[in-house]
Amino acid sequence: MARIRTIKPEFFTSDDICALSPLARLLYVGLWCEADREGRLVWTPGVLKRRYLPDDSCDIEALGAELVTRGLVRLYGDGLACIPSFARHQHVNVREAQSKLPSPSGEISVEFPQGREGEKGKEGEGTDVAHAQALPENWKPDQGDLAWAAETRPDLDGAALEAESERFRNHALANRRTAHRWGPAWRMWISKAHEPARQRGDKRNPVEMAGDNLAERDSPAQWRARLARYRPGKFWLEGDWGPRPESGQSRVPPGILADWRRQQEAA
């Protein structure tokens, strides 16, 4: 049974949420409606797809995996799930029925406040906000992360993983990102990395391959929308959109990029 839930403005700028794909974000919001007052729900991906993403062509299992990987959803028991941060971000109606689902092993049930929300913290974070930290200097993926990458992304060799890791570090530092655990964030980045062109059998040099990059596959309207509110050094999905507009290596179409630069100079 779906319930009425609330959403905070900071949800849209939370680091954990921004790292998700758009449909995973929408699914996450849908899970709030699905969850009972303790943040617990029956984990049935097919049913969740029909209820919250009925007209979207998507892999509901992959979207669910995004949420689990980020720690936003925890699976437990026999087909059950819970939302760890639910109690901090939802004001539950006092008349809502008590949960009929068992609590996860080791979890202490917490009573919801009867008044308005008073907790600090950004919506979407799976653990205490105080534990979020900036990317440590010289951070590198550990052996577990590398083993995961070898199994999940065999198309990325050691050099490609190192290059993507460097982009990940630059993105996190430039945007002042924080996270509770950086391993899952890195894995999400790697999962979205583009397959190296040379591994597809392309023998051309990088300049000759320019026609195959994302700028050619994205519409001008999409690029203009991305640049509409962008300012140098601010949020930019380098893993999906390529180097930053101000980097000199941008994938933004030249005409659109020139318009953006003129706007920046006039501002």
Side-chain angles (χ1 to χ4, degrees):
M1 179 183 69
R3 293 93 167 172
I4 296 174
R5 300 304 185 202
T6 59
I7 186 167
K8 297 178 180 178
E10 56 264 34
F11 169 87
F12 302 97
T13 55
S14 166
D15 289 339
D16 285 338
I17 299 304
C18 289
L20 298 172
S21 64
L23 285 181
R25 299 174 199 176
L26 187 58
L27 175 61
Y28 185 45
V29 174
L31 294 184
W32 303 344
C33 298
E34 188 72 17
D36 61 26
R37 64 179 297 132
E38 297 291 344
R40 304 168 193 158
L41 64 143
V42 178
W43 188 254
T44 50
V47 174
L48 297 174
K49 168 69 170 66
R50 291 191 293 274
R51 284 183 180 171
Y52 302 110
L53 299 169
D55 294 329
D56 294 288
S57 178
C58 60
D59 184 343
I60 190 67
E61 297 284 357
L63 296 179
E66 282 191 58
L67 301 178
V68 173
T69 299
R70 296 291 305 177
L72 299 174
V73 172
R74 175 184 172 190
L75 304 183
Y76 72 99
D78 185 11
L80 301 178
C82 68
I83 302 171
S85 63
F86 190 86
R88 293 202 309 276
H89 300 297
Q90 293 299 320
H91 174 60
V92 179
N93 190 304
V94 295
R95 294 187 294 274
E96 184 172 323
Q98 295 296 320
S99 176
K100 296 180 180 179
L101 300 176
S103 64
S105 176
E107 180 185 272
I108 300 176
S109 181
V110 178
E111 289 294 327
F112 281 87
Q114 301 301 316
R116 297 182 62 82
E117 297 164 282
E119 296 292 337
K120 296 181 180 180
K122 292 186 177 180
E123 198 155 6
E125 294 171 347
T127 54
D128 198 306
V129 175
H131 295 161
Q133 60 180 342
L135 185 70
E137 186 177 359
N138 300 321
W139 181 91
K140 292 183 178 181
D142 61 24
Q143 292 301 314
D145 294 325
L146 295 175
W148 170 88
E151 180 179 353
T152 306
R153 293 301 305 270
D155 55 314
L156 300 178
D157 59 18
L161 281 176
E162 179 56 36
E164 286 297 333
S165 297
E166 182 64 20
R167 295 188 187 99
F168 171 77
R169 286 190 288 266
N170 292 340
H171 172 79
L173 293 173
N175 291 280
R176 299 180 182 179
R177 294 299 188 195
T178 59
H180 305 288
R181 294 183 300 148
W182 283 101
W186 178 86
R187 294 188 186 194
M188 183 60 64
W189 181 280
I190 294 300
S191 71
K192 296 181 178 181
H194 299 290
E195 179 183 3
R198 291 191 179 277
Q199 292 194 19
R200 298 196 298 264
D202 200 326
K203 304 302 181 182
R204 297 170 293 165
N205 62 46
V207 174
E208 294 172 328
M209 292 188 293
D212 292 336
N213 64 27
L214 286 178
E216 296 299 324
R217 295 201 294 269
D218 288 330
S219 70
Q222 288 175 315
W223 284 114
R224 292 188 187 279
R226 292 165 186 168
L227 289 171
R229 297 184 178 179
Y230 176 71
R231 299 294 180 270
K234 299 300 183 181
F235 177 73
W236 184 262
L237 285 176
E238 294 182 62
D240 291 336
W241 305 338
R244 294 172 170 275
E246 68 271 24
S247 68
Q249 300 177 332
S250 176
R251 293 173 175 169
V252 180
I256 297 176
L257 183 59
D259 290 343
W260 175 79
R261 286 174 175 165
R262 284 193 290 270
Q263 293 172 359
Q264 294 303 299
E265 292 172 358

